[in-house]
Structure formats: structure tokens, C-alpha cells
Amino acid sequence: MCDQTFLVNVFGSCDKCFKQRALRSVFKKSQQFSYCSTCAEIMATDGLHENETLASLKSEAESLKGKLEEERAKLHDVELHQVAERVEALGQFVMKTRRTLKGHGNKVLCMDWCKDKRRIVSSSQDGKVIVWDSFTTNKEHAVTMPCTWVMACAYAPSGCAIACGGLDNKCSVYPLTFDKNENMAAKKKSVAMHTNYLSACSFTNSDMQILTASGDGTCALWDVESGQLLQSFHGHGADVLCLDLAPSETGNTFVSGGCDKKAMVWDMRSGQCVQAFETHESDINSVRYYPSGDAFASGSDDATCRLYDLRADREVAIYSKESIIFGASSVDFSLSGRLLFAGYNDYTINVWDVLKGSRVSILFGHENRVSTLRVSPDGTAFCSGSWDHTLRVWA
Amino acid sequence: MLQSPLVFLLPAAVTSSGKPSLTFLWWFRTLWKFQMSSKVAIGSDIGQARQAVEQLRMEAGIDRVKVSKAATDLLQFCMEQAKSDPFLVGIPAATNPFKEKKPCAIL
């Protein structure tokens, strides 16, 4: 989709030698410095031990990776579905489309539920962001963004604002007002600035902070009021496509998935990557935490969804079938975590039994690939958005 | 040395009329960029490799739990929450706002 990255050349005085040069930004323990190229080179070789060369560091990295795999394998004594054998199998599910939300002029790319379990915000390729009432299918608000491909949208926890962004490389927050005379676009606040497209955004527990993920390979935490960057997260080797915050009881972490096939868990306070998982064979399109916060699921272009346990530090289940060859674009859990809903690029939605690893149900209805899927906050229904310009609420 | 092949193609620094040669300037600039780019690449490679090694060291040191224990905990959470999961338990059509209500007949 977006594979052009432009390098921005900034001229100014170097932080170290104070000469006027072309600057490169260097990150040391999450703090950003601007050094000229000569000082950057000196910094990189600083404190290098006598025998440390590129080759020796690379071989040490390889041996550490091997050791990590060994440690993980030692604890792999049983499979999740074996432990789940004693659990009752699920009965037949009857899930139908209860509401179809029509109104977007082009592919629906992202959607989010409001905490009131009723309102939905959705964004599409034509630049429109619409707030719907899912009970009545009425449109409550509509905003036209100045860019196309609005790939990310989120509802604020208070229900009073929405955030969205895409090819404009920014995340903008719009306060929602019921005043008919007020133009929503006039109150827009630009919060995040990235150097490539915005792929995902999410409010943290309050309206005051937003977490964003971008095609420039970084995630960032921003303060909404001032637009200031609070923390940045570097580590992905390619575009970051998705992120999810841990459920509030378990603390300040979030997981992100990217085109480098890695899913990384980050500590929001320090900016450090705590754990990384690399078992997928292709881009990870969607990640979602298990309701208890101890595990997360990911959906990828390799046509599988996988469950990773954070305490065991490994993948514990794969949800795949030989007949499924199209990538999974979005995943979400039901309230208890027993069901995993996954939307695929072959226009279907598969429902998986998380514990047993088997498919429970397959839902047809969309006429083009399913791009986004979220379960409502009270778990009574889930909504899917698709490239066929519609959203469907299933219950 | 990397730049030795190019030395043989050295253009004249000054043209016959005495003005500085543009070809020479272009050659010099290309050479300079070529030298600089390879140096910078090595510098950042080492920096990246060191960061990767430190990250891996940190990851190797975290506490891990056996899969059997982690799986049992996931199972337990699931079973406890299953009673309150509308998809598993099912809510009567009357209270589910998305399901159709039975039509009421006006007597």
C-alpha cells in the first residue's frame, strides 16, 4: 500500500559538537538527540570493547536467540488444547446480521465502539468518518478528513470525542457536539505527527492520552491537550500495523504487531520492549489482548491466528485450517475469551474456540474482504466493517 | 582501496579556458558521497547490533511460567467468565437490543 518513505534532512547545530551540520536523530534510552554524522559515528563506537566488532556482536546475537528458544522450549510441557480436553464442547451458534450500516462511499477501513455499547465510529477510504447509532442505524455525526485512506479511528472513553488518521501522517481529535450549527471540522485538534501513514490509534484509559502506531515503524504516546510526545517506542523493523492496550487491571503495557512479522509487548512508562514474539510467517494485521490480560491473539496474512501467552513467553495455540488460505485482517475475543472472532480477506468471519483450537462457526454476508472487527463493550454483539462499503452488526 | 578504480577516470580539474570543470566537480561529489555513505552504514550497523544484543540479553533474563500452569490459568479465567458472556449463555431476545422483538398485536 504505502511503501515510500522519505528521509527528512534537518539542518541545525549538533548536540555534541555544536557545529552547523545536517543532523540525524539518535535514540539513547528513549531520549532523542540530534547529532551530525561524524558525532553519530563516534557515539556508536563509544565504549566499544577491544574485541567487539560487527561480526562478534552478530554472532553473540545469534547465540542469545538460540538460548532464548531453548529456555522457551524447556517450559513447553503440554499444549493448550490438551489441557482443555476436559472442558465441554460448545454448542451450535446462531449468529446473524442484525443491522447493516450503509452510508460509506468507499471501503470501510476501521471501526470502534463507544463505551455506551451503542455508538460506533467508522472510517473509510474516501476520507469520511461517521458516528452511527447501532440500534437505529442512524448517522449521528459525519466528518470529512482532508486525506483519503483513514486507516485508524477510535472513540474516547468518555464518548465525547473521536480520533482518526491515515495518509495524512497525523492523528486528529474531533470533539463531538450535538449543536447542528457547529462545524465539527473547525474544532479539530492535530495531536500526533509521524513521518509515515497512521495505521492504528487508541485512547488510553482517559481522554487525555492517545497511543498511535505508524508506517514509519514506531509507536508513540501523545498528550491530547498539548500535542506533546510523551513516549516513543522503537524496535519494529518495518511498518507497525496494529496495537492494543492491556485491559486496565493489569497495568501499563500494550502490544503491537507489524510487517516485520513480530508482535512486541511494550512498557508504556519506560518505552522498552518487554517481550517479542516472531512465529508468524507474514505481516501481522491485528493484535488483541485476552480479557484477563495474560495472553494476546494475533491475525496475520499467513492465514493463521495465533495465541501467545505472556507468562509462558511463547505461542500456545494456532488457529488455522488447510481450507483457509486468505489472511486474517482483524481479530477480537468475546467477553469471557472463549470465542475468537476473526475477519478474513476471503469475505468470511470465522469463529474459533480459543481453548480447543477448533472452528465453531463460519459467517457469510460481506461482499468483499472484512477489514475490521470489534466486539461491543458488553459482549452482546460484534460489528464488522468491510471493503464492500458496509458495516454489519452480528448477534 | 575503494576509490582507486575511479582515480583512473579523473577528469581535468580545470577546462582548457581556465574555468573550473563541472565534470570534475560532479566526480568529486560522487566520490565523496560514496565514501561517506559506506562509513555511516558501518557506524549505524554496530549501533544497531549492540542494541539488538542488549535487548536479547534482557529478554533471555525474564521469569517464565510453565505452559501447563499458564494454560490452566487461561482455562480457569474462561470458565469463571463464561456465565457472564452473552455469546455463550445467550440473552433472551426481549432484552437483547439487536434481536428482533416479537410483534405485538393490537387487540
Side-chain angles (χ1 to χ4, degrees):
Chain A
M1 198 166 38
C2 285
D3 42 33
Q4 264 190 321
T5 315
F6 296 95
L7 188 64
V8 175
N9 261 322
V10 179
F11 283 84
S13 61
C14 166
D15 279 349
K16 196 160 187 222
C17 62
F18 303 109
K19 294 191 186 146
Q20 290 288 329
R21 294 263 162 87
L23 301 176
R24 283 165 56 219
S25 48
V26 167
F27 289 86
K28 264 174 88 175
K29 301 206 185 330
S30 273
Q31 240 194 312
Q32 181 177 6
F33 297 100
S34 298
Y35 293 134
C36 63
S37 51
T38 13
C39 287
E41 217 195 293
I42 296 171
M43 289 303 299
T45 50
D46 227 1
L48 210 58
H49 300 295
E50 278 234 349
N51 299 327
E52 251 183 47
T53 59
L54 191 61
S56 76
L57 281 172
K58 283 205 166 147
S59 63
E60 194 181 343
E62 288 304 312
S63 71
L64 276 172
K65 271 191 200 159
K67 183 167 165 227
L68 200 63
E69 278 312 309
E70 256 180 59
E71 291 285 317
R72 281 176 171 169
K74 267 189 221 166
L75 300 165
H76 188 201
D77 48 355
V78 76
E79 295 283 342
L80 177 63
H81 60 83
Q82 288 169 321
V83 174
E85 258 159 33
R86 57 189 169 90
V87 174
E88 267 175 42
L90 293 168
Q92 274 302 321
F93 281 94
V94 175
M95 271 180 259
K96 293 198 293 182
T97 304
R98 305 289 173 178
R99 301 281 188 281
T100 308
L101 305 176
K102 293 191 199 181
H104 275 295
N106 214 321
K107 312 177 173 69
V108 176
L109 301 174
C110 185
M111 58 122 332
D112 193 15
W113 287 88
C114 179
K115 290 257 182 326
D116 69 359
K117 310 152 203 162
R118 182 174 173 149
R119 290 188 176 79
I120 291 177
V121 63
S122 62
S123 64
S124 83
Q125 187 200 334
D126 61 359
K128 288 243 179 2
V129 178
I130 301 181
V131 177
W132 314 78
D133 176 345
S134 60
F135 292 179
T136 60
T137 74
N138 288 339
K139 300 182 205 26
E140 293 192 349
H141 300 91
V143 180
T144 307
M145 293 277 288
C147 66
T148 55
W149 287 92
V150 187
M151 289 171 259
C153 63
Y155 226 117
S158 65
C160 297
I162 53 168
C164 48
L167 283 192
D168 57 351
N169 302 358
K170 296 195 277 214
C171 184
S172 317
V173 175
Y174 292 87
L176 294 175
T177 164
F178 279 98
D179 190 348
K180 291 276 176 248
N181 297 332
E182 241 184 276
N183 183 10
M184 265 183 73
K187 292 257 171 171
K188 161 177 152 174
K189 201 188 301 192
S190 270
V191 174
M193 287 287 304
H194 278 280
T195 52
N196 210 332
Y197 66 91
L198 194 85
S199 52
C201 67
S202 170
F203 281 88
T204 58
N205 289 333
S206 73
D207 276 17
M208 292 292 99
Q209 292 180 352
I210 285 193
L211 197 54
T212 58
S214 163
D216 63 10
T218 67
C219 300
L221 181 66
W222 309 83
D223 176 79
V224 174
E225 258 323 299
S226 59
Q228 206 191 356
L229 173 68
L230 298 172
Q231 185 64 266
S232 66
F233 306 91
H234 297 258
H236 275 286
D239 305 14
V240 185
L241 293 181
C242 50
L243 60 80
D244 189 36
L245 277 142
S248 39
E249 302 87 37
T250 45
N252 295 333
T253 57
F254 73 94
V255 61
S256 66
C259 289
D260 55 356
K261 311 175 197 163
K262 285 209 281 210
M264 301 175 90
V265 182
W266 307 85
D267 179 329
M268 285 201 325
R269 274 173 293 211
S270 66
Q272 288 278 45
C273 168
V274 177
Q275 285 168 285
F277 303 90
E278 200 173 351
T279 58
H280 269 294
E281 290 154 23
S282 187
D283 306 354
I284 298 180
N285 293 318
S286 165
V287 286
R288 193 69 67 204
Y289 263 99
Y290 190 78
S292 71
D294 287 332
F296 69 91
S298 59
S300 155
D301 275 344
D302 64 5
T304 65
C305 297
R306 293 172 201 238
L307 184 70
Y308 297 91
D309 188 294
L310 294 174
R311 296 182 312 151
D313 190 36
R314 60 171 296 122
E315 171 192 299
V316 291
I318 304 186
Y319 307 102
S320 66
K321 256 180 141 53
E322 288 221 358
S323 52
I324 302 177
I325 53 170
F326 284 85
S329 60
S330 55
V331 297
D332 203 355
F333 284 101
S334 67
L335 262 196
S336 64
R338 182 71 194 267
L339 298 173
L340 179 71
F341 300 99
Y344 288 77
N345 292 342
D346 61 1
Y347 317 173
T348 64
I349 296 171
N350 287 313
V351 186
W352 299 90
D353 179 337
V354 171
L355 302 176
K356 293 196 184 284
S358 57
R359 181 171 65 185
V360 166
S361 174
I362 179 168
L363 303 172
F364 299 94
H366 278 295
E367 290 153 22
N368 206 324
R369 59 162 84 173
V370 179
S371 53
T372 175
L373 191 153
R374 294 293 288 261
V375 172
S376 76
D378 60 353
T380 49
F382 71 90
C383 179
S384 58
S386 157
W387 280 17
D388 66 2
H389 312 352
T390 65
L391 292 115
R392 280 170 187 256
V393 180
W394 307 75
Chain B
M1 276 286 276
L2 286 165
Q3 68 260 46
S4 38
L6 288 172
V7 173
F8 294 107
L9 307 167
L10 180 72
V14 165
T15 60
S16 48
S17 60
K19 292 196 192 122
S21 151
L22 285 175
T23 335
F24 174 76
L25 287 172
W26 171 88
W27 170 88
F28 189 76
R29 171 183 158 279
T30 318
L31 196 66
W32 182 250
K33 275 202 164 177
F34 182 62
Q35 268 189 301
M36 280 292 115
S37 67
S38 57
K39 266 204 200 145
V40 161
I42 290 172
S44 60
D45 274 348
I46 284 195
Q48 271 179 356
R50 281 175 84 202
Q51 270 185 336
V53 166
E54 294 215 11
Q55 177 67 24
L56 283 167
R57 270 199 201 127
M58 198 198 66
E59 278 179 33
I62 60 174
D63 288 324
R64 283 180 200 86
V65 153
K66 279 200 165 167
V67 175
S68 49
K69 167 119 188 19
T72 326
D73 287 346
L74 285 177
L75 215 77
Q76 202 181 358
F77 177 86
C78 211
M79 295 296 103
E80 279 167 21
Q81 299 291 321
K83 301 173 212 74
S84 45
D85 187 345
F87 276 114
L88 295 177
V89 164
I91 28 182
T95 44
N96 187 340
F98 291 108
K99 293 208 170 121
E100 291 87 28
K101 306 195 184 354
K102 291 212 172 86
C104 47
I106 300 175
L107 298 167

